[in-house]
Amino acid sequence: MSQPKEYRKLPGRGNRREGTFIAGAVRQSRLWLGKDHLLLVDSTLNAQELKRFYFRDIQAITVRKTHKGRTMNLVLTGLIAMFCLWAVLITDDVGQGVLLTIAAVFGGFLIANSLFGPTCECHLQSAVQREQLPSLGRLRTARKVLGLLRPHIEQAQGNLSADEARERAATLATAPAASAPKRAGATPEVRAYRGSFHTILFALLLVDGLLNFSAVFLNSMPLALVQMTVLFGIILTLVGALIRQQDTDLANSVRRVTWTSLGYLCVLFVHGFVVYIAHAVQKPGEVQNEYTALRHFASLDPFEHTWLLVSFVVWGICSTALGIAGVVLLSRYNRDRELLATAAATPPPPPTFRPPLPVSPLPPPMPPPPVTPPPLEIPPPPPPPANG
């Protein structure tokens, strides 16, 4: 007869990222249901980290809905629209097929992301720690797992009445920040910003500004291809930066520069689309598709075409200004965060010992003045009685 399994794999799978986007480690996280505890397994290719949470020690499991899934749907919709628009504009049948295939792939990702449902963040609270559960990244999966865990927790701790549940919730809400961070209403949890998307974005903007200024004097096809590659990198890192900065303590000034970069790219695409349509109408023999349009623009001399010279100068100034502002503000944010971390880690200085001040001896007490007793008054003798 086969022995019953000690652990049961719970639904859901997620990744736990540590460090920056470039120099970071990603571990796959899964949950396993044991007889009297919940097992959290974070694994890599060559190592595993196990954490046990006994049902009797679990105080709460919180689930907070996030906007990651909706943001991903918006990004995928924008990519699908962009590739479909390019497919409509070009006349090459092979190019149209490739672009529509890419749009169909992104459409499959969009459908899959929508079917998985809304995203969420799940945390487990015990008396000594608060642990994130990355495998419960979808609201549907989190509800299913909570339904499986509820009977085991109630069996270990007993059923709670409504008054006891409210009392425990109030206790967790007023707990110290180290054990249970406070949450006011539906305010999202603010976490420390981690990642390199903003650094790469601002660096690419500086490179794009330099390329635009170089195109004023060295406009050519190789330089145009490099510019297109850098622009594609800006788009990818901008999407990653907008997603990464959600619910973080990133400075508002850096956020404003990031959103301004998005507006700048939108204006840039509108300008390029208008120029492409105008040249396609005026010179249909030279501008037939995206590639021929790029070759046509790369063959023009900016000093002979004022609109091209102005475009290169304006886009160079905008890209350089956004890159410099982003680098300066991001460096200031990192410096302030390092100062706060150093101040929090530095123990307070020991109290300085000051010797007591010398005390001059008190003068001897003055003797009290002599008290003179009042004079005694002797009453006169009574008169003798009169003879009868």
Side-chain angles (χ1 to χ4, degrees):
M1 183 176 181
S2 61
Q3 297 293 333
K5 294 183 179 180
E6 184 178 358
Y7 289 103
R8 173 188 174 186
K9 185 187 299 183
L10 293 177
R13 177 182 299 175
N15 295 324
R16 189 189 304 274
R17 179 177 295 276
E18 295 180 352
T20 61
F21 178 76
I22 297 178
V26 178
R27 296 182 296 175
Q28 189 180 57
S29 181
R30 295 297 302 264
L31 286 176
W32 297 76
L33 180 63
K35 182 179 180 180
D36 58 350
H37 64 275
L38 181 67
L39 182 65
L40 174 62
V41 181
D42 291 342
S43 58
T44 58
L45 294 177
N46 55 358
Q48 282 188 342
E49 181 180 351
L50 308 179
K51 291 184 180 180
R52 289 181 174 86
F53 302 95
Y54 289 92
F55 297 135
R56 64 176 183 271
D57 299 329
I58 297 176
Q59 295 184 348
I61 298 178
T62 59
V63 179
R64 179 178 64 87
K65 186 177 179 181
T66 61
H67 303 293
K68 294 180 181 179
R70 186 172 61 181
T71 303
M72 185 59 65
N73 285 340
L74 292 176
V75 173
L76 291 173
T77 303
L79 292 174
I80 293 171
M82 182 179 65
F83 282 105
C84 289
L85 180 61
W86 285 353
V88 172
L89 293 177
I90 66 176
T91 58
D92 186 8
D93 295 338
V94 178
Q96 285 182 346
V98 173
L99 292 174
L100 291 177
T101 302
I102 296 175
V105 172
F106 285 120
F109 290 148
L110 176 62
I111 295 174
N113 188 55
S114 301
L115 292 178
F116 286 150
T119 56
C120 65
E121 283 188 0
C122 190
H123 292 82
L124 186 147
Q125 177 68 46
S126 65
V128 296
Q129 63 179 329
R130 187 170 186 263
E131 185 72 24
Q132 184 180 3
L133 306 178
S135 61
L136 305 183
R138 297 285 177 170
L139 195 59
R140 183 185 306 170
T141 305
R143 289 173 177 172
K144 185 176 180 180
V145 172
L146 289 180
L148 296 174
L149 295 179
R150 188 187 303 274
H152 297 275
I153 297 176
E154 290 180 351
Q155 182 179 2
Q157 301 184 10
N159 295 327
L160 293 178
S161 62
D163 296 337
E164 292 175 344
R166 284 193 293 268
E167 182 180 356
R168 176 170 293 188
T171 304
L172 292 175
T174 57
S179 59
K182 296 182 180 180
R183 189 185 304 275
T187 304
E189 179 187 359
V190 178
R191 63 182 187 275
Y193 171 77
R194 295 177 181 177
S196 303
F197 279 105
H198 289 80
T199 304
I200 301 174
L201 171 64
F202 299 142
L204 289 178
L205 285 172
L206 290 175
V207 174
D208 182 67
L210 179 61
L211 292 176
N212 278 285
F213 287 128
S214 301
V216 175
F217 307 97
L218 302 173
N219 190 26
S220 60
M221 188 62 181
L223 184 61
L225 293 176
V226 174
Q227 285 180 295
M228 293 298 296
T229 304
V230 172
L231 184 60
F232 186 70
I234 291 176
I235 296 173
L236 293 180
T237 53
L238 178 61
V239 172
L242 292 175
I243 296 175
R244 177 68 66 177
Q245 72 182 13
Q246 290 185 353
D247 302 336
T248 62
D249 60 351
L250 189 65
N252 292 329
S253 56
V254 182
R255 296 173 184 266
R256 285 192 290 268
V257 175
T258 307
W259 284 107
T260 305
S261 302
L262 177 62
Y264 164 68
L265 285 182
C266 293
V267 174
L268 184 63
F269 276 113
V270 172
H271 172 267
F273 178 73
V274 172
V275 171
Y276 173 79
I277 295 297
H279 280 258
V281 173
Q282 294 177 359
K283 300 178 180 180
E286 298 181 6
V287 181
Q288 299 177 356
N289 49 44
E290 296 290 336
Y291 181 73
T292 57
L294 190 62
R295 288 179 55 186
H296 171 69
F297 295 140
S299 63
L300 300 178
D301 187 1
F303 291 99
E304 296 180 359
H305 300 81
T306 308
W307 66 269
L308 186 60
L309 177 63
V310 173
S311 299
F312 282 147
V313 173
V314 171
W315 301 138
I317 293 175
C318 293
S319 297
T320 304
L322 289 173
I324 293 176
V327 170
V328 171
L329 295 174
L330 187 61
S331 300
R332 183 182 303 174
Y333 162 76
N334 291 330
R335 184 177 64 252
D336 294 342
R337 188 170 64 173
E338 290 177 0
L339 290 176
L340 291 176
T342 303
T346 303
T352 57
F353 174 75
R354 296 182 178 180
L357 297 176
V359 180
S360 58
L362 297 176
M366 298 295 293
V371 179
T372 304
L376 297 177
E377 296 182 0
I378 300 176
N387 293 329

